[in-house]
Amino acid sequence: MPRQPDIPDAFDVYTVVVLRRPADAPQMSEEELDALQARHLAYRAELGRRGVLVANGPFDQQSDPSYRGMSIFACRPAEAARLSDGDPSVAAGRLVYDVMEWWVGEGALVFPFTDRRVGERRSMTEE
């Protein structure tokens, strides 16, 4: 394919996990939900301390309220899925997730709070 000026020469490829609330999520009391949310946040904070989770947070004003939040991982999709399976809210059935690679023009994102490489540099010709 000839070079297209609107397509970057290279991309940084990130592993993204999007959390969703399933339609059949189990009902829980407010007390149970509060405790589960605390465990969920503590788990994700630990992943951040380990350097494998470099950015994450909830959505607001989303067009589909089932979408709850997004995370960028410093690992391959299979590892991000394994780690997401360990999230207490996923284990409890209150959240499910989608894992994907996100291709962003090289250098468009930086993660100043991590000391490890995030993403993988690829060119369109590698695919």
Side-chain angles (χ1 to χ4, degrees):
M1 170 162 83
R3 165 93 173 86
Q4 297 289 327
D6 296 328
I7 299 174
D9 289 331
F11 291 83
D12 293 329
V13 181
Y14 301 104
T15 300
V16 173
V17 171
V18 176
L19 296 172
R20 296 181 288 109
R21 173 89 63 237
D24 61 349
Q27 296 299 311
M28 297 179 148
S29 70
E30 285 300 316
E31 186 176 279
E32 291 170 317
L33 288 172
D34 288 346
L36 182 59
Q37 180 70 358
R39 291 193 312 274
H40 164 75
L41 294 174
Y43 180 77
R44 297 188 90 64
E46 176 58 26
L47 294 179
R49 282 189 289 277
R50 289 174 32 199
V52 70
L53 180 61
V54 295
N56 76 117
F59 294 132
D60 191 18
Q61 299 185 23
Q62 62 274 41
S63 61
D64 181 338
S66 71
Y67 288 102
R68 308 305 296 168
M70 185 177 98
S71 303
I72 299 175
F73 282 80
C75 61
R76 295 234 174 238
E79 178 68 1
R82 187 187 71 74
L83 294 167
S84 295
D85 284 337
D87 186 312
S89 290
V90 171
R94 291 288 297 172
L95 293 175
V96 295
Y97 61 87
D98 299 309
V99 180
M100 61 203 76
E101 287 186 337
W102 183 33
W103 290 52
V104 178
E106 70 176 311
L109 292 177
V110 295
F111 300 95
F113 302 119
T114 186
D115 60 355
R116 70 191 313 182
R117 177 159 174 75
V118 179
E120 178 182 320
R121 183 79 31 98
R122 295 188 202 160
S123 68
M124 291 297 287
T125 57
E126 293 177 25
E127 285 300 303

